[in-house]
Amino acid sequence: MEPIRIHRKEAVSMDEVVKQYIKSMKLAAGLNTQRIFEAWDACSGAGEFTLKRFFRDGKLYITLSSSVVRNQLHFQKEDLVEKMNRFLTEDSLFTQDNRTVGYIEELILK
């Protein structure tokens, strides 16, 4: 009886393995949503005033506890969207080609 030979495949980086796992387990949409919420906290500085977060169809809905903070952020909406999308572009866990949850197109403050 001849011994079984195991053929070696090309080495794959851990980063690529994680991306393949996320894709195969269909976790990308949920992970992308969490990354978007993290981008909001990091870029806006209003994480402590944020009551609710919701993302759908390119729109990020944020409910804030402070009307003063909401008014200040209202005038920075376009810059915030740009800053958050840049944050997501640099995030290795954000799946850029996901059809259901992608980049932020509009920020709606409540």
Side-chain angles (χ1 to χ4, degrees):
M1 182 172 199
E2 195 171 314
I4 300 173
R5 295 204 171 196
I6 300 173
H7 298 285
R8 293 185 183 199
K9 295 183 178 182
E10 288 186 33
V12 179
S13 69
M14 232 9 218
D15 188 41
E16 186 60 34
V17 170
V18 170
K19 287 179 184 179
Q20 288 175 2
Y21 179 77
I22 289 170
K23 193 172 187 175
S24 69
M25 297 301 290
K26 299 181 180 167
L27 301 172
L31 184 61
N32 275 4
T33 303
Q34 291 304 314
R35 306 312 291 166
I36 288 169
F37 296 160
E38 186 175 317
W40 164 256
D41 290 342
C43 297
S44 71
E48 65 185 88
F49 300 103
T50 304
L51 297 174
K52 295 180 186 175
R53 301 166 173 92
F54 181 72
F55 184 80
R56 176 175 279 159
D57 298 328
K59 296 178 184 176
L60 177 60
Y61 299 87
I62 300 292
T63 304
L64 296 163
S65 62
S66 169
S67 60
V68 175
V69 173
R70 184 178 56 243
N71 286 336
Q72 288 176 341
L73 293 174
H74 178 75
F75 296 106
Q76 303 173 20
K77 282 170 49 171
E78 289 180 20
D79 290 335
L80 277 171
V81 169
E82 206 173 289
K83 194 174 180 182
M84 287 186 288
N85 283 334
R86 207 172 327 116
F87 181 91
L88 294 171
T89 301
E90 296 169 2
D91 189 342
S92 62
L93 291 177
F94 187 77
T95 307
Q96 298 178 9
D97 60 350
N98 190 299
R99 284 181 267 149
T100 56
V101 179
Y103 288 103
I104 303 163
E105 297 171 13
E106 186 179 354
L107 175 61
I108 299 167
L109 301 174
K110 296 180 178 185

